[in-house]
Amino acid sequence: MNAKPSSAATTGNPTHYDRYPSRCFSTPRHQPRQDPVLHVGPGAAGPLSAEELAQFEREGFLLCPEVFTRGEIHALRAAMDQAARQDAERIAEPDSTEVRSLFALHRGDHLPARLMRDPRLVHRAEQLLGPGVYIHQSRANRKPAFDGREFWWHSDFETWHVEDGLPAMRALSAMVFLDDNTAANGPLLVIPGSHHIFIACVGATPENHHAHSLRRQEYGIPDRDSLTLLAHDRGVQALCGVAGTVALFECNLLHGSAGNLSPLPRLNLFAVYNHIDNAPAAPFGGRPPRPLHVAERTAVAITASPLDLCV
Amino acid sequence: MNAKPSSAATTGNPTHYDRYPSRCFSTPRHQPRQDPVLHVGPGAAGPLSAEELAQFEREGFLLCPEVFTRGEIHALRAAMDQAARQDAERIAEPDSTEVRSLFALHRGDHLPARLMRDPRLVHRAEQLLGPGVYIHQSRANRKPAFDGREFWWHSDFETWHVEDGLPAMRALSAMVFLDDNTAANGPLLVIPGSHHIFIACVGATPENHHAHSLRRQEYGIPDRDSLTLLAHDRGVQALCGVAGTVALFECNLLHGSAGNLSPLPRLNLFAVYNHIDNAPAAPFGGRPPRPLHVAERTAVAITASPLDLCV
């Protein structure tokens, strides 16, 4: 579990020392996290309590119930159709043409974009990452009824580091439940505390990996032995809650989700907040960066602005 | 939703009037249940409370926590290896050779077989179905870690009627949790109250259907529109609980389960109790009966006998 990190990978970004080399070894390697989880500290001021900060530090995630009202959720669901017709990028299910993900929702001025600038999200992100955050990636994940397929286990950071060039672990996802997330519809599964360990994945990155990985990920995934060991030690938790809940999870937390066998579809919005001091460098995997709709390359701090349904 | 049941199917068992024709129509048909859910009545004496009986009548299922002790569960898990080496029949996962199900566990004298004769199960079954029950089918369902696949939505009764010849809805499954069943490892999903409606499935039954259906069911499954309508009206519930829990569910309750994406396998035992007055006739689908390890054809009432780990 505790193989020492190697020196910088021979492949990868030549201008930066790579503190988290991955996809350049023939066997999986684990190394301890080298960045803090709480970038301001356990006493940071903001909407989260000291207990919540401590839990995020320890477990790597937080469930915040009832952050958004029923009215807001209703309006957001209605607005998703509009957002889908505008500039959002569609990713289909692996075995069908049903929409799996819509990317780049933070651009534009529709409700989902404005939601992501709301203080209830931005101030939580800043309390954890430090003042000055921007959105690295945003998306809606829609799990269609019956056939909504699983998302395999992964650390977001591994991909964002290797493929997008994020240098440090100073980012998190805010997942806004637009439907109830239940044991019956493929909720997000996490391995609590796994964000303290970086698992270097085996295998190189193929060209244009993102064109396939967003439908079904096959590279940059942790090996099964590592997952089994971690799950034995730390368990697996499902992040369930009613619509309006926000789940915050750290960029290196191992997570995935099972398929949606239920007869009803399920929609969640994701906003990935990254700190402006952690703006993307050249990707550490050595390939060209992914397209802008999947990974922003310019870090401009968000000015928080309360969501107003009447605008 | 309320198309009238047709008269007896022209295909199928020629010697019995078929009150639940299925797989003989070109479009799905729904009919009301024609048998009671509580075969003794709401005041039947036994281990279940009046509230539990009422819930079973209304919802079609019951979760009974802590029926078996940690010691018993531990011993049962250890004994499963032994049972697997004896006469139980193995069914593999659809896409691999990993064991998905072991059938006919009620035969023999190993612990799983003796568990199924324990009064905690038998007396509950008799309280619901009436005195005099036997085991129509038994199995262990093992959802392997990572790849344990889903079980598609179905009514057990539909198959047991069409393929095994059970005349009436007078059977239930007792599912004994040998592992914690959680939102993270593909718990049983049910549509509460769906046992009040019989959905006639479209399509005929192929020859030797059981050879495939136990791996992945493609016939005798309800249509998606019916499932969606029912789930909208009644919701979908996951049956979660710690090891030692028993879930009882009525033979016509619509159920399924998602895959197990978690890194840990999950094992459950199933005993299907049928009333001796509901012994199998010739299958109503007109094909030869399924093999004995999948469906008993002789109805001999069980004499309940407490599980003794020291025997």
Side-chain angles (χ1 to χ4, degrees):
Chain A
M1 281 295 280
N2 291 310
K4 282 223 166 176
S6 81
S7 59
T10 51
T11 61
N13 184 329
T15 64
H16 297 265
Y17 176 75
D18 187 353
R19 299 183 305 143
Y20 297 109
S22 184
R23 309 191 203 178
C24 50
F25 305 115
S26 58
T27 55
R29 299 195 183 193
H30 300 186
Q31 66 168 82
R33 177 187 183 98
Q34 298 180 49
D35 297 296
V37 177
L38 301 177
H39 292 267
V40 184
L48 299 171
S49 69
E51 290 70 31
E52 288 176 314
L53 291 174
Q55 193 209 317
F56 190 84
E57 204 287 331
R58 191 176 63 247
E59 310 279 358
F61 69 93
L62 269 182
L63 272 173
C64 308
E66 296 180 19
V67 173
F68 294 97
T69 65
R70 283 177 166 272
E72 287 172 321
I73 295 301
H74 183 79
L76 279 159
R77 291 178 54 84
M80 279 305 299
D81 278 347
Q82 185 194 348
R85 278 194 304 272
Q86 286 185 359
D87 51 358
E89 294 277 340
R90 288 166 190 74
I91 304 292
E93 283 282 301
D95 304 318
S96 75
T97 55
E98 281 226 63
V99 172
R100 175 178 173 93
S101 299
L102 291 168
F103 276 82
L105 286 172
H106 61 291
R107 296 182 188 166
D109 199 41
H110 44 62
L111 264 192
R114 286 190 275 133
L115 170 86
M116 295 175 186
R117 301 193 283 269
D118 187 273
R120 285 167 287 184
L121 296 181
V122 174
H123 291 168
R124 280 175 167 83
E126 290 190 325
Q127 194 179 1
L128 294 162
L129 304 174
V133 299
Y134 74 100
I135 293 182
H136 173 65
Q137 181 188 89
S138 64
R139 63 191 189 279
N141 279 355
R142 182 178 175 279
K143 276 217 175 133
F146 296 117
D147 302 312
R149 295 294 295 271
E150 75 274 4
F151 286 82
W152 192 255
W153 293 100
H154 64 285
S155 148
D156 288 331
F157 176 74
E158 198 275 347
T159 295
W160 298 341
H161 181 71
V162 172
E163 300 192 24
D164 299 341
L166 258 57
M169 295 179 183
R170 196 172 181 179
L172 60 81
S173 290
M175 175 170 125
V176 180
F177 297 9
L178 295 195
D179 285 305
D180 295 352
N181 281 228
T182 74
N185 62 13
L188 197 77
L189 307 179
V190 304
I191 300 182
S194 57
H195 62 307
H196 293 298
I197 297 163
F198 181 71
I199 302 180
C201 303
V202 170
T205 314
E207 259 185 274
N208 280 319
H209 180 225
H210 64 89
H212 313 287
S213 67
L214 301 176
R215 300 184 76 178
R216 180 183 282 158
Q217 192 161 1
E218 290 171 11
Y219 298 88
I221 56 174
D223 62 292
R224 292 185 172 211
D225 287 348
S226 301
L227 288 166
T228 305
L229 209 64
L230 284 165
H232 261 295
D233 286 352
R234 300 165 187 263
V236 178
Q237 187 167 333
L239 304 193
C240 298
V242 298
T245 299
V246 173
L248 301 172
F249 59 99
E250 211 279 335
C251 61
N252 190 43
L253 187 73
L254 289 170
H255 63 284
S257 65
N260 179 15
L261 195 82
S262 89
L264 307 174
R266 196 215 62 192
L267 187 62
N268 289 326
L269 292 180
F270 289 75
V272 176
Y273 296 94
N274 186 31
H275 196 271
I276 51 172
D277 292 349
N278 194 38
F284 288 84
R287 297 258 183 213
R290 297 193 294 174
L292 291 177
H293 72 269
V294 178
E296 286 285 357
R297 302 210 59 81
T298 315
V300 179
I302 299 169
T303 305
S305 166
L307 182 66
D308 184 345
L309 298 182
C310 302
V311 171
Chain B
M1 283 294 280
N2 290 310
K4 282 225 167 174
S6 80
S7 59
T10 49
T11 61
N13 184 328
T15 64
H16 297 265
Y17 177 74
D18 187 353
R19 298 185 306 146
Y20 296 109
S22 184
R23 309 192 203 177
C24 50
F25 306 115
S26 57
T27 55
R29 299 198 184 190
H30 300 189
Q31 67 168 81
R33 178 190 183 95
Q34 299 181 47
D35 297 295
V37 177
L38 302 177
H39 292 268
V40 183
L48 300 171
S49 69
E51 290 69 31
E52 287 176 315
L53 291 174
Q55 193 208 317
F56 190 85
E57 204 286 330
R58 192 177 61 246
E59 310 279 357
F61 69 94
L62 269 182
L63 271 172
C64 308
E66 296 180 18
V67 172
F68 294 98
T69 66
R70 282 177 168 273
E72 288 172 322
I73 295 300
H74 183 78
L76 279 160
R77 290 178 56 82
M80 279 306 299
D81 278 346
Q82 186 194 347
R85 279 194 304 272
Q86 287 185 358
D87 50 359
E89 295 276 341
R90 289 165 191 74
I91 303 293
E93 283 283 302
D95 304 319
S96 75
T97 55
E98 281 225 65
V99 171
R100 175 177 173 91
S101 299
L102 291 167
F103 275 84
L105 286 172
H106 60 291
R107 296 182 188 166
D109 200 42
H110 43 62
L111 266 192
R114 285 190 275 132
L115 170 86
M116 295 175 186
R117 301 193 285 269
D118 187 272
R120 286 168 286 184
L121 297 181
V122 174
H123 290 169
R124 280 175 168 83
E126 290 190 323
Q127 195 179 0
L128 294 162
L129 303 175
V133 298
Y134 73 101
I135 293 182
H136 174 65
Q137 181 189 90
S138 64
R139 63 192 190 277
N141 279 355
R142 182 180 176 278
K143 276 217 176 135
F146 296 118
D147 302 312
R149 296 293 294 272
E150 75 274 4
F151 286 81
W152 191 255
W153 293 101
H154 63 286
S155 147
D156 288 330
F157 176 75
E158 198 275 347
T159 295
W160 299 341
H161 181 72
V162 172
E163 300 192 24
D164 300 339
L166 257 57
M169 295 180 182
R170 196 171 181 179
L172 60 82
S173 290
M175 174 170 126
V176 180
F177 296 11
L178 295 196
D179 287 305
D180 296 351
N181 281 229
T182 74
N185 62 13
L188 196 77
L189 307 179
V190 304
I191 300 182
S194 57
H195 63 307
H196 293 298
I197 297 164
F198 181 72
I199 302 180
C201 303
V202 170
T205 315
E207 259 186 276
N208 280 319
H209 179 226
H210 64 89
H212 312 287
S213 68
L214 302 175
R215 300 184 77 178
R216 182 183 281 157
Q217 191 161 1
E218 292 171 11
Y219 298 88
I221 56 174
D223 62 292
R224 293 184 171 211
D225 287 348
S226 300
L227 288 165
T228 304
L229 208 64
L230 283 165
H232 260 294
D233 285 353
R234 300 165 188 261
V236 179
Q237 187 166 333
L239 304 194
C240 297
V242 298
T245 299
V246 173
L248 301 172
F249 58 99
E250 210 279 335
C251 61
N252 190 44
L253 188 72
L254 287 171
H255 63 284
S257 66
N260 178 14
L261 195 83
S262 90
L264 308 174
R266 197 216 62 191
L267 188 62
N268 289 327
L269 293 180
F270 289 74
V272 176
Y273 297 94
N274 185 33
H275 195 271
I276 50 171
D277 292 349
N278 194 37
F284 289 84
R287 298 259 183 212
R290 297 192 296 173
L292 291 178
H293 72 269
V294 179
E296 286 285 358
R297 302 209 59 80
T298 315
V300 180
I302 299 169
T303 306
S305 164
L307 182 65
D308 183 346
L309 298 182
C310 303
V311 172

